[in-house]
Amino acid sequence: MANKAKQAKKTNQHQSNNGEAAQEPPVRLVVDARLMQLCCWAVGLGITAAIAAQILLLLIAFFTNLAFFQRFSFITVSPADNQMGWWVLVPPIIGAFIIGLMARYGSSAIRGHGIPEAMEQVLTNESRIPARMTWLKPLSAAISIGTGGPFGSEGPIIATGSALGSLLGQLIRTTAGERKTLLAAGAAAGMAATFGAPVSAVLLAIELLLFEFRPRSLIPVALASVTAAAVRIGIEGADPVFPMPDLATPTAVAILVYVAIGALMGVMAAAITKITYAIEDAFEHLPIHWMWWPMIGALAIGGVGYFAPRTLGVGYANISDALNGNFAMQAAIFLVGMKFISWSVSLGSGTSGGTLAPLFTVGAGLGLVIGQFLNSIFPAAGIDPRVAALVGMAALFAGASRALLASAVFAFETTLQPLGLLPLLGGCGMSYLLASLLCRNSLLTEKIARRGVHAPVEYLTDHLDQVAVGSIASKQVVTLRAQQTLAEVRKWLDSDPEHSQHQGYPVVDERMRLIGVLTRRNLLAATEAADTPLRNLVTRFPIYVYDTSTARDAADHMVRHDVGRLPVVSRANPKLLVGIVTRSDILSVYERRLRETESIHPREHWQRSA
């Protein structure tokens, strides 16, 4: 690796004819010493995020015990077991009041899901998250969930991990791209530490935060995720978060049913997105400061919690019961409806909370109900209500978040049921399709889209990286000879208007070897004597690209040196000029891309081929 770096450095230091270093495109290495450093930081970040996740879980347990059982304890308990009666309305209101104060006087960024805020920082602020978010977000989330908020701990942990990664990237010397990688590594580590699902955590980071798939970002994120999962195993063990009995191989008819359930989840995901933001818009019209809105949402939490105590808190037990078929149809419908009301109203009020666990609960419950209903009507079809619940859980999240692969793999990693992968892939794919058709933005991107921030949804190969400069460069180059005098060239500029209107001219010797480039302004504004050879006027280092360089290399080189055209030299003979590439040549690559995406009739295709 070190030898490659030295060779690359040596290659970049060719000497021009005037004895000065030539400026050729730098060699882009996939793996180098800098990436190794980034990986080391990512491993440390994985350990830190895993510890932060454990601290957050302890804080949630502490506030839950304090709010619902009036005791000081860090033992994990469910608020559903409280005996407070109508007093159950009080803890959510107190918690919401504290969160309102923290949001107003600490940071308003603690309001909402957590993931959209991280996405916005990646897309608009070079992945810079304020340092105070590393403690404000987890503390506010612990208070919110601990006082009955119907949210999962994974969203705040992901937000905390991303804040830790961003903070690390601001403390050490990094580029914006490296800082984004560290932010995504922290987020993936947070999710892996919560669910023990490192692969889906990496996929989620790619689909929602990195918006790219390349080794320089993928490797550090993967290492951080694996490290966090290993720490979790050391603390909690390797058992799946949502254990299920072994599943049977699904029949062909059952697979079609599961795919249809995925389609229904896609419709539900679009509806949930629109309803949630409609509630948020309704809060925007209230004639009071937004600091007080969470207390209104808390009334919904407490009121629903009185009639349906299982809606209070994270509710991971509800997901496990649905995946194991432990709910009767009526009980599942009641829980799903109450959970959605409590979650959507409280989230729309601007309190601190996440989206994953509530979506999993609603999706699993709906899938279980549909599976039980269809199984009762078509018992011979082999429809397993537990698989239907599994598909519903993952598919609803896939449609709401547009994280297709992350959703399917997550359901597998948290249950360790490989026979569920085929139904999961079909259901999540269909959900993604229907949700995208019915709703332009996802539940996670609608908020930032309203602020004018566009989140990428397609990760295409860079067309500029697929085209060699030699294939788009002009071979007929108007050059100047090094031995020509200034007077001769000025006379030529006056007599040949067709070729003398270029902005720059490569200067070559008698063997067509590149010496440098002179612009039209250089030639007209020169104060040297009329008989001065052009060789003596070349003062700037030669800036060029190879014929085998990519169009991306050329474009980056143009931007780096603020030039609009580059001489092209032979890779075999770096001093031999073989062409010139301009900005318009670079843009012609995108013209090809647009032409490739045009839909034409098959008959027209054959006519073009002929």
Side-chain angles (χ1 to χ4, degrees), residues 306-585:
Y306 174 78
F307 294 101
R310 299 193 67 160
T311 62
L312 297 170
V314 293
Y316 291 150
N318 298 331
I319 301 173
S320 293
D321 286 341
L323 294 179
N324 286 277
N326 295 337
F327 283 119
M329 189 179 300
Q330 294 82 355
I333 293 174
F334 178 74
L335 175 64
V336 166
M338 293 294 101
K339 184 75 173 183
F340 176 69
I341 293 173
S342 176
W343 166 68
S344 60
V345 174
S346 56
L347 188 66
S349 69
T351 192
S352 179
T355 58
L356 275 68
L359 288 175
F360 294 154
T361 302
V362 173
L366 286 175
L368 178 65
V369 170
I370 297 171
Q372 290 174 336
F373 175 73
L374 293 177
N375 187 51
S376 65
I377 298 178
F378 309 105
I383 302 170
D384 189 338
R386 299 170 302 171
V387 178
L390 184 66
V391 171
M393 177 186 78
L396 186 63
F397 180 65
S401 67
R402 313 291 165 83
L404 170 61
L405 295 178
S407 302
V409 176
F410 172 85
F412 162 69
E413 287 189 293
T414 53
T415 60
L416 297 183
Q417 293 296 324
L419 293 179
L421 276 172
L422 184 59
L424 283 169
L425 188 60
C428 291
M430 187 59 70
S431 176
Y432 190 112
L433 174 63
L434 268 294
S436 299
L437 287 173
L438 297 174
C439 194
R440 180 176 181 180
N441 298 308
S442 71
L443 183 65
L444 302 181
T445 60
E446 176 67 23
K447 178 178 292 187
I448 61 176
R450 294 182 175 192
R451 300 171 184 166
V453 179
H454 172 69
V457 293
E458 297 180 342
Y459 317 125
L460 302 174
T461 302
D462 187 355
H463 280 68
L464 295 181
D465 232 357
Q466 298 176 305
V467 177
V469 168
S471 65
I472 59 175
S474 174
K475 304 300 188 296
Q476 297 179 350
V477 187
V478 179
T479 62
L480 300 176
R481 302 290 179 173
Q483 64 271 22
Q484 286 181 282
T485 65
L486 183 59
E488 292 173 347
V489 174
R490 285 176 173 174
K491 182 178 180 181
W492 171 73
L493 290 175
D494 293 334
S495 61
D496 190 352
E498 180 180 355
H499 297 96
S500 62
Q501 298 302 315
H502 296 304
Q503 297 301 314
Y505 302 93
V507 179
V508 297
D509 62 11
E510 61 279 0
R511 296 183 182 180
M512 288 297 292
R513 295 181 301 183
L514 180 66
I515 296 176
V517 175
L518 290 175
T519 66
R520 179 180 177 86
R521 179 180 299 177
N522 294 148
L523 296 170
L524 296 179
T527 58
E528 285 79 2
D531 59 350
T532 302
L534 296 185
R535 183 189 300 272
N536 296 346
L537 298 180
V538 177
T539 58
R540 188 175 182 179
F541 298 160
I543 302 173
Y544 60 86
V545 290
Y546 292 114
D547 53 354
T548 56
S549 299
T550 66
R552 176 185 170 185
D553 292 330
D556 291 346
H557 213 34
M558 287 179 180
V559 173
R560 189 176 294 112
H561 295 284
D562 193 23
V563 295
R565 58 185 59 221
L566 292 169
V568 181
V569 299
S570 170
R571 174 73 72 173
N573 185 359
K575 295 183 179 181
L576 180 63
L577 181 70
V578 296
I580 193 166
V581 62
T582 65
R583 287 195 184 104
S584 60
D585 295 327

Side-chain angles (χ1 to χ4, degrees), residues 266-291:
V267 176
M268 290 299 300
I272 287 174
T273 299
K274 293 182 178 180
I275 292 172
T276 301
Y277 282 97
I279 294 173
E280 187 173 305
D281 292 339
F283 274 98
E284 293 284 348
H285 292 89
L286 293 178
I288 57 176
H289 193 277
W290 55 258
M291 168 188 157

Side-chain angles (χ1 to χ4, degrees), residues 2-20:
N3 291 334
K4 287 184 178 180
K6 291 180 180 178
Q7 184 178 0
K9 183 176 180 181
K10 184 177 180 181
T11 304
N12 289 336
Q13 291 179 345
H14 289 306
Q15 298 292 313
S16 65
N17 286 358
N18 59 9
E20 296 175 314

